[in-house]
Amino acid sequence: MDIRIANVRKEFGVFPALHGVSLDIKSGELIALLGPSGSGKTTLLRLIAGLEQPTEGEIYFGNENASYKSVRERNVGFVFQHYALFKHMTVAENIGFGLRVRPRSTRPSRREISKRASELLDLVQLSGLEKRFPAQLSGGQRQRIALARALAIEPRVLLLDEPFGALDAKVRKELRRWLREIHEKTGHTTVFVTHDQEEALELADRVVVMSQGRIEQIGTADEIYDTPASPFVFSFIGESSVLPVNVESGKVWLDERPLDLPAGGMPNGPARLFMRPHDVEVVEGGPGAIPGVVSLIRRHGGSRRVDLEVGARRDRIEIELPADFNRGTSSRIAVRPRRWRLYPAEA
């Protein structure tokens, strides 16, 4: 099922939660809505679901304008962060609930509902738990049951709101892999909300990065990480450091020192130089290097993270070096970014 969101604006009272958002989702895609709290990602998901209606703009399911249709009319499956399972119902009863409450004319028989629940338990790898109650399950198991319940109605679209947010890190990682496998098997058009960049980059076919009710960038994991479209995307996706610099005649300057970095087509004036810790290397110095003073060293897995104070204002950048780095604090080193991005200071 293709989904098209056309110039959608959503206001709550006088507060605009979304500003003219447009997005095309292809049938069978797994899309992540990624952003910090207040970015509008959950509002957009609720608009797709039919839990909210747009103030302006339209939402299409295929060629059908679904902007003001109910959740049932849209036939979407929704998975909430905190499962929303019925505590007094067994696992099988929870999975079959959406089928049992259908109008009599479209309601399957009890035998068909039971068969569907059993099939879905196989799919989510929880066969044999039909008669258990939610309180008897782990958090990861409850989330699998919540997904099975959403799939039971054979939805046109599957929507997940922070599906792993209530789980610990190890379980989240396991379920991310599992959800991707389920998606490959079922082929549902799937949209999920997350503030976890690792989750979005690992799972999604495309990532929609949002900030303050607007879409900052849409792209694959590689496109989002390697070619961020704005300072916000660069700083939000992955780890980064930023230095205030100046651009003059195609060259980048730090204070009165020219750096060995081309400015490309950047206009003259103040700019910001963004770099990632693992993309910075120590060099012997030279006219184009960035000299700095080591202010902090800490172990980071198989490497060390080093904070450098650079420039007249002693701006701090973070770099990643091999674990055998043996300089102490207050020592002086020079570095050069292997990869970087320049943005105008006002961007």
Side-chain angles (χ1 to χ4, degrees):
M1 172 61 65
D2 293 339
I3 302 172
R4 181 163 63 91
I5 298 156
N7 200 30
V8 164
R9 180 179 178 86
K10 178 61 180 178
E11 297 176 356
F12 295 101
V14 297
F15 172 72
L18 291 176
H19 304 269
V21 168
S22 295
L23 173 65
D24 290 330
I25 300 171
K26 300 173 185 176
S27 180
E29 267 195 305
L30 179 57
I31 293 287
L33 304 180
L34 173 66
S37 298
S39 61
K41 57 188 185 296
T42 295
T43 297
L44 180 54
L45 191 78
R46 291 174 64 85
L47 284 164
I48 296 171
L51 296 169
E52 304 283 353
Q53 280 73 48
T55 304
E56 296 177 7
E58 297 172 322
I59 297 172
Y60 290 87
F61 279 28
N63 295 321
E64 174 189 10
N65 189 339
S67 304
Y68 299 98
K69 291 184 178 294
S70 68
V71 178
R72 177 173 291 181
E73 289 173 317
R74 298 185 195 199
N75 190 29
V76 299
F78 205 105
V79 179
F80 297 90
Q81 177 178 350
H82 294 287
Y83 327 125
L85 298 177
F86 298 108
K87 297 178 181 179
H88 65 287
M89 293 184 185
T90 65
V91 164
E93 289 169 341
N94 265 286
I95 294 174
F97 177 78
L99 298 175
R100 291 199 309 275
V101 297
R102 281 183 174 176
R104 187 178 297 275
S105 60
T106 59
R107 187 187 311 158
S109 68
R110 287 186 179 181
R111 178 175 293 181
E112 290 172 326
I113 293 174
S114 177
K115 180 182 178 183
R116 179 68 173 155
S118 180
E119 290 171 347
L120 286 167
L121 279 169
D122 286 342
L123 180 67
V124 301
Q125 301 170 2
L126 291 177
S127 298
L129 302 185
E130 292 89 342
K131 297 181 180 180
R132 290 196 187 183
F133 289 88
Q136 298 172 302
L137 305 176
S138 69
Q141 289 173 328
R142 291 178 198 174
Q143 195 57 287
R144 293 186 186 213
I145 297 303
L147 180 60
R149 183 178 62 181
L151 293 172
I153 62 171
E154 298 182 339
R156 294 195 290 175
V157 177
L158 181 62
L159 307 174
L160 304 96
D161 188 9
E162 300 272 7
F164 310 132
L167 304 172
D168 64 53
K170 183 178 180 181
V171 175
R172 289 179 69 157
K173 191 164 187 177
E174 291 172 355
L175 287 187
R176 285 204 299 264
R177 188 181 304 111
W178 169 80
L179 179 59
R180 184 71 221 190
E181 292 173 356
I182 292 291
H183 177 76
E184 296 295 337
K185 290 178 182 178
T186 62
H188 285 89
T189 302
T190 303
V191 184
F192 74 98
V193 160
T194 183
H195 64 269
D196 185 326
Q197 54 181 276
E198 182 181 330
E199 193 166 277
L201 296 178
E202 181 180 334
L203 265 177
D205 296 318
R206 288 189 299 154
V207 179
V208 180
V209 184
M210 300 187 66
S211 174
Q212 298 182 335
R214 294 181 171 86
I215 292 176
E216 291 276 341
Q217 187 173 356
I218 304 169
T220 64
D222 287 345
E223 291 167 346
I224 294 291
Y225 191 89
D226 295 334
T227 56
S230 69
F232 172 81
V233 177
F234 199 115
S235 59
F236 187 72
I237 304 295
E239 299 174 291
S240 63
S241 297
V242 59
L243 277 178
V245 295
N246 278 285
V247 174
E248 295 181 15
S249 303
K251 294 184 179 180
V252 180
W253 293 72
L254 176 63
D255 300 327
E256 302 302 317
R257 185 185 185 91
L259 303 181
D260 189 21
L261 305 174
M266 184 70 62
N268 290 346
R272 288 184 287 173
L273 174 66
F274 282 77
M275 63 197 88
R276 302 197 187 280
H278 60 271
D279 284 332
V280 180
E281 62 183 346
V282 176
V283 294
E284 291 300 322
I290 302 173
V293 178
V294 175
S295 62
L296 182 66
I297 305 172
R298 58 199 180 280
R299 186 70 184 228
H300 186 81
S303 62
R304 295 195 187 277
R305 287 295 175 93
V306 176
D307 284 7
L308 283 184
E309 292 181 351
V310 303
R313 296 188 301 184
R314 300 177 69 181
D315 293 298
R316 183 169 293 193
I317 63 172
E318 183 181 51
I319 64 175
E320 183 172 291
L321 297 175
D324 59 1
F325 176 76
N326 57 8
R327 307 281 186 91
T329 56
S330 300
S331 60
R332 294 181 176 274
I333 61 174
V335 298
R336 181 180 290 116
R338 291 186 294 262
R339 301 176 69 181
W340 71 93
R341 297 280 287 185
L342 271 178
Y343 298 99
E346 67 274 9

